[in-house]
Amino acid sequence: MTTNLRNAVLVAGAIAAVAGCAGTGSSPEQSAAWDREAQEVMARSFRDQGIATVDRLKQDEVMAACSTHGQHIDDELRERIQAAAQADIKWPSDGNYLGDWKEGEKLAQSGRGMTWSDKADAPNGGNCYNCHRITKKEISYGTIGPSLYQYGKLHGNTETTQKYVWGKIWNPNAYTACTNMPRFGAHGILDEKQIRHLVALLLDPKSPVNAE
Amino acid sequence: MKGSRYAVCLATSALALMLPATPAGADETAEGIARYREALADGNPAELWEMQGEELWRTARGPKNGTLEKCDLGQGPGVVKGAFVGLPRYFADTGRVQDLESRLLTCMETLQGIPADEVAKTPFGKGEQKNIEALVAWISAESRGMKFNVPMQHPEERRMYEIGKRVFNYRSGPHDFGCVTCHGEDGKRIRLQDLPNLTKSADAARGFGAWPAYRVSSGELWSMQRRLNDCFRQQRFPYPLYGSEVTVALSTYLGVTANGAGESTAPAIKR
């Protein structure tokens, strides 16, 4: 999958089938023509700004498939995306999944990183609270993802859970193809050390996620 | 004066709202939201932009020393009432589908001799862009309470709608985000900010039909182009060109989706 990622091709017929949802009787040829034109329009409508360069418009296979099908992908494609993502996960080099939950909380709070107003050398945040409830105290949380409050208490701080949470943060498509959650490890948004801190935030019994 | 009253009540409510909801701040946040609601009832400072916009429309400016009074926003030259809820639409003179802002660029260029390219390159909130903000505030206010009626008869309008729908669903960049990630489901939030489901008409009318809007957090009036620009930023996408086809296509998709649902509230007041 990483190879596909790196050799990403520009969309290539990817945004097809979205048209199928419209249902207002357009022929497959017409629909394919609009797919192509959408790509051309995208290519003409953006410019680089800071670190956000136009090559970000290129899609890999996963983005293309998920743009086209959303959550309605068929079983075969789902299996393929999940298997490739699973194979793509880089496990911790020293076999240690748990870092410092306090650092994890800071990362979960930070929504910084990767926009055109961010600097290239500024550390990226995890954005986690944008989408998840995590601790009891923090009431400013989003709901795009499920609540992770008491995650360790509910699932246990076992090696199986640690591995799952690590893999989920590395590449969530390994478990849920076309999820709305970013591929933090696979896309180099967060590094090993940061992911360890986040696993600790969710699983360490002393973390406010589980202790409060 | 009216303006200073706004300034005072907004300064307090903006401050309260920008406080992060820290553990101890939970009550303050609720209080801040209550105060913000009060400010809403008190009046919307967008009125100041509306007044300027109306004046600008009638003021002779630019190398041609012309006014905008003959500008055709789709309902005939000079007709402003109801124009906003019928945009974007196809214009025969330019051969393109245009949203309110790209259409204003055309009128400024043809009637006043102000080069569209230069206005498009001006940063938001500066120079001619400030004038555009005033104009869109007034023009949208003239459609307040009306339902969206964005046309789809012309093949170009249909084409832009279809392209807009594809752009809306297009996911890429470091976070795999598309508009659909944040605006594709009912009742979602980012932190405490409600996210309209822009694929459904009621939410699209409420969300699309609120902009241009006065933003309490920055004390500025944001046009729809600027709203989309900031969403693309949050999406980790590159920079959309002002008035570009992508932005017009998205507005066509959102506007058509909003058709017939709620009433336009623009220029609304927002966080």
Side-chain angles (χ1 to χ4, degrees):
Chain A
M1 194 53 47
T2 344
T3 341
N4 283 330
L5 265 176
R6 305 270 146 76
N7 305 336
V9 271
L10 184 58
V11 202
I15 17 191
V18 174
C21 312
T24 31
S26 50
S27 69
E29 294 76 25
Q30 177 59 269
S31 183
W34 283 325
D35 291 344
R36 268 195 315 278
E37 286 168 34
Q39 293 164 41
E40 291 159 10
V41 160
M42 299 269 295
R44 285 196 293 265
S45 295
F46 291 89
R47 64 166 168 79
D48 296 348
Q49 171 84 10
I51 57 173
T53 51
V54 292
D55 60 338
R56 290 190 178 181
L57 297 173
K58 288 182 191 151
Q59 291 179 315
D60 66 14
E61 277 188 343
V62 175
M63 295 163 176
C66 299
S67 298
T68 304
H69 303 289
Q71 316 272 345
H72 313 288
I73 48 171
D74 65 45
D75 291 345
E76 199 194 311
L77 188 55
R78 183 192 317 282
E79 300 282 301
R80 204 149 54 79
I81 291 175
Q82 292 182 179
Q86 191 61 245
D88 181 44
I89 297 171
K90 200 169 154 262
W91 301 103
S93 40
D94 61 357
N96 183 12
Y97 294 99
L98 291 182
D100 175 358
W101 67 260
K102 290 195 194 77
E103 290 303 315
E105 168 67 9
K106 283 185 211 155
L107 285 164
Q109 288 281 0
S110 169
R112 284 193 179 280
M114 300 265 181
T115 74
W116 70 59
S117 45
D118 292 305
K119 298 267 180 314
D121 52 2
N124 294 324
N127 267 302
C128 316
Y129 277 106
N130 277 359
C131 297
H132 294 286
R133 179 178 192 212
I134 302 175
T135 52
K136 192 175 178 190
K137 276 192 211 157
E138 181 54 274
I139 58 150
S140 176
Y141 59 84
T143 57
I144 292 178
S147 171
L148 303 174
Y149 176 52
Q150 306 239 301
Y151 198 83
K153 227 177 179 172
L154 293 168
H155 299 272
N157 185 16
T158 62
E159 195 179 332
T160 319
T161 330
Q162 292 173 6
K163 220 178 148 185
Y164 169 70
V165 173
W166 177 282
K168 190 78 200 171
I169 301 173
W170 192 275
N171 190 341
N173 285 293
Y175 313 90
T176 318
C178 296
T179 174
N180 279 332
M181 180 162 154
R183 291 174 264 179
F184 290 102
H187 279 186
I189 302 167
L190 299 174
D191 61 23
E192 271 200 24
K193 207 166 119 207
Q194 293 173 308
I195 296 177
R196 251 186 223 109
H197 295 326
L198 287 161
V199 177
L201 175 67
L202 295 190
L203 298 181
D204 191 320
K206 290 192 290 300
S207 148
V209 170
N210 305 307
E212 286 167 19
Chain B
M1 197 211 122
K2 223 176 182 183
S4 54
R5 178 171 57 100
Y6 286 133
V8 174
C9 71
L10 282 165
T12 35
S13 56
L15 253 178
L17 269 181
M18 282 185 306
L19 279 175
T22 48
D27 288 348
E28 282 97 320
T29 304
E31 235 172 76
I33 290 172
R35 249 177 288 151
Y36 168 60
R37 296 221 167 98
E38 262 169 50
L40 296 193
D42 222 31
N44 180 347
E47 271 177 33
L48 302 175
W49 276 262
E50 290 171 33
M51 272 151 35
Q52 281 168 23
E54 182 170 12
E55 203 178 305
L56 265 172
W57 183 259
R58 304 184 210 290
T59 306
R61 295 196 319 119
K64 289 190 176 172
N65 200 34
T67 76
L68 291 169
E69 287 163 303
K70 292 221 170 66
C71 176
D72 183 354
L73 297 172
Q75 311 297 323
V79 182
V80 176
K81 213 160 207 55
F84 178 70
V85 288
L87 288 168
R89 68 163 55 229
Y90 176 77
F91 288 89
D93 58 350
T94 55
R96 292 189 281 144
V97 174
Q98 295 181 287
D99 67 345
L100 175 56
E101 288 165 80
S102 53
R103 187 60 189 169
L104 277 174
L105 292 187
T106 302
C107 287
M108 287 164 78
E109 183 160 278
T110 54
L111 300 171
Q112 303 183 306
I114 301 169
D117 291 358
E118 275 171 39
V119 187
K121 272 189 237 143
T122 309
F124 290 116
K126 301 225 160 70
E128 285 297 338
Q129 282 287 346
K130 270 196 128 106
N131 293 332
I132 298 230
E133 285 156 14
L135 287 164
V136 298
W138 177 58
I139 294 164
S140 62
E142 289 290 295
S143 290
R144 217 184 240 125
M146 297 183 186
K147 288 197 165 139
F148 278 92
N149 184 23
V150 177
M152 266 253 277
Q153 281 81 42
H154 195 281
E156 273 301 300
E157 291 164 349
R158 175 71 198 272
R159 195 178 76 93
M160 285 303 256
Y161 167 86
E162 294 288 347
I163 290 173
K165 183 164 58 176
R166 286 159 174 78
V167 172
F168 188 88
N169 288 289
Y170 191 94
R171 301 170 46 152
S172 76
H175 287 56
D176 293 337
F177 287 164
C179 310
V180 66
T181 313
C182 297
H183 299 292
E185 284 175 72
D186 291 345
K188 297 289 181 187
R189 293 190 332 238
I190 281 194
R191 291 281 184 158
L192 291 177
Q193 298 157 49
D194 290 325
L195 298 166
N197 178 352
L198 297 172
T199 67
K200 296 240 184 96
S201 31
D203 272 21
R206 213 176 303 125
F208 178 75
W211 297 79
Y214 178 82
R215 290 203 65 191
V216 177
S217 52
S218 60
E220 295 168 308
L221 191 121
W222 277 23
S223 67
M224 188 63 194
Q225 283 281 331
R226 191 164 181 183
R227 168 73 270 162
L228 292 178
N229 180 281
D230 196 61
C231 278
F232 272 126
R233 186 185 64 81
Q234 296 182 56
Q235 205 169 312
R236 274 80 181 173
F237 266 39
Y239 198 93
L241 303 174
Y242 185 80
S244 59
E245 290 161 281
V246 149
T247 60
V248 175
L250 277 171
S251 282
T252 308
Y253 172 61
L254 300 180
V256 168
T257 306
N259 271 349
E263 293 171 352
S264 174
T265 56
I269 180 166
K270 291 275 171 177
R271 178 181 73 91

